[in-house]
Amino acid sequence: MAAAVKLAERGIPVTVFESAKQLGGRARGLMHNDMQLDNGQHLLLGCYRETLRLIELVGGNVGQDFLRLPLQLDLHGHFSLRAPRLPAPLHLLSALLNAQGLTWRERLDAIRFMLALRRMDFHLPGDMTVAELLAQHGQDADLTLKLWEPLCIAALNTPVRKASAQVLLNVLRDALNRTRADSDMLLPRVDFTTLFPQRAAAYIEQHGGKVYTSCGAEAITQEGDEIELMTAQGAHIFTHIVCATPPAIAAKLLCAIPALEHTVAQIDSLEHQPIYTVYLRYPPHVRLPHPMLGLHQRYSQWLFDQGQISGQHGLIASVISAEGLHQELPQDELARKVIAELREEFGITDTPEWFKIIAEKRATFCCSPNLQRPSQQTALPNLWLAGDYTAGDYPATLEGAVLSGLRCANQITEERKT
Ligand SMILES: Cc1cc2nc3c(=O)[nH]c(=O)nc-3n(C[C@H](O)[C@H](O)[C@H](O)COP(=O)(O)OP(=O)(O)OC[C@H]3O[C@@H](n4cnc5c(N)ncnc54)[C@H](O)[C@@H]3O)c2cc1C
């Protein structure tokens, strides 16, 4: 949708084919028992500049559509870090110096580490795992469990022992090192389909394009200088195609084209990581101490109180990112564990009316060191790849997906000029 909006903005007519009934993909709204949920709780950072710009371009209002919180990491009762209103990076250094739940030594180690990363301009001579980088910089196990592991899992959806240190540094560079607002956390007040893709579809149609839902791409074939797309509606000839499906579907669509053998092999070699969201519908009076907070060494990693975020009082989302023991539990047992955690941590004795677990087994690619991600440009001059898994600085995030789409749109626009 980012690619389509950008091309539409430049007056290039686009047609979007979406296989699902609804737009939004992994970041989409859904209804459950008359409550508006998302396909997993999402959070944006202030540094997601292009995503936020596109939301505004298609008619959103970032000030109203999000609850904006200054950087704060709170592991209930164990660790708390809050950034004061100081310019970056002083806000972070001050937050680390005053962090609750760390020894003085751990605080100084964390500050030393951040200063070392700044001196390196957040660039490593060679990639390694986050665990290796933390060990090199003397970050002990307690500091890792309270600060770096939650940050790494939230940003890369990959455990520290498998995660790329360079990609984590790219995120830290953009979120923590430029302006203070870059590290703000933005929690959506509206569902994700409304937030961007629905508005984007209206924008595309107002600019002469078309958006079809329940109409997926079935095959892509090269036809001389043009390229043919087969859908349930028949064959369509286009000058360019941007294939913006999830990676496994892109590999299926492209594997019939011999020139794309290398691209398909790169996609096939990506591993994936899950994200589980446990939604709990409590009575409306139930609330958490903050709109968002973490738990230390529990199944629930982050809790979101939708009452305080979107006005859906009593709706709590528990997010469990990356691989772990939770994947071995049946869903009702996992829900029972999360309910017990809420009782033990916050004294919530009410029983939820219902729970809904959304288990996205392939939520994101596993962001490991030196990953070879396919480029947006393919061996076919008129076929482009967009999506969070394509080459870029970012892990699998909304901003990564948007940047990839914009890159396709920019290059297609350049080509049309020549
Ligand atoms: C539970 C969960 C929580 C997350 N939390 C965050 C977060 O807090 N912050 C963040 O930045 N990122 C988060 N992410 C990651 C983020 O959602 C993704 O990086 C982003 O949505 C990827 O966008 P995409 O366009 O690359 O792919 P997708 O969103 O997967 O879009 C691909 C689209 O292609 C469609 N499609 C599939 N097959 C076909 C076909 N044959 N023809 C046509 N269309 C087809 C799909 O229906 C879908 O709409 C989360 C992801 C999940 C799953």
Side-chain angles (χ1 to χ4, degrees), residues 4 12 17 44 46 75 79 84 149 163 204 246 319 374 379:
I12 299 172
F17 296 94
L44 280 74
L75 299 185
F79 174 70
E149 175 136 271
I204 290 162
V319 174

Side-chain angles (χ1 to χ4, degrees), residues 1 16-28 38-45 48 51 154-155 157 192 212 215-219 229 231 244-247 249-250 253 273-277 304 319 321 358-364 386-390 395-402 404:
M1 293 305 274
V16 177
F17 296 94
E18 163 61 61
S19 62
K21 279 194 209 138
Q22 196 192 359
L23 298 167
R26 276 169 279 166
R28 69 176 183 279
D38 277 319
N39 174 53
Q41 174 72 49
H42 279 65
L43 174 152
L44 280 74
L45 294 175
Y48 286 9
T51 308
N157 194 35
F192 254 90
Y212 297 105
C215 187
E218 291 168 6
L229 179 74
T231 71
T245 66
I249 313 261
L253 287 169
Q273 286 284 335
I275 301 180
Y276 283 46
T277 307
F304 295 82
V319 174
S321 296
I358 299 176
E360 276 279 356
K361 301 212 166 76
R362 292 172 152 242
T364 68
D388 60 356
Y389 70 95
T390 59
T397 49
L398 296 161
E399 183 74 357
V402 163
S404 164

Side-chain angles (χ1 to χ4, degrees), residues 15-17 210 212 215-223 226-241:
T15 310
V16 177
F17 296 94
K210 290 197 182 70
Y212 297 105
C215 187
E218 291 168 6
I220 297 173
T221 39
Q222 174 83 38
E223 290 293 325
E226 293 179 314
I227 189 153
E228 187 182 90
L229 179 74
M230 185 60 81
T231 71
Q233 290 186 349
H236 315 257
I237 296 277
F238 292 106
T239 57
H240 296 83
I241 288 181

Side-chain angles (χ1 to χ4, degrees), residues 260-270:
L260 300 183
E261 194 184 341
H262 177 63
T263 302
V264 172
Q266 280 184 328
I267 300 176
D268 283 342
S269 68
L270 295 174

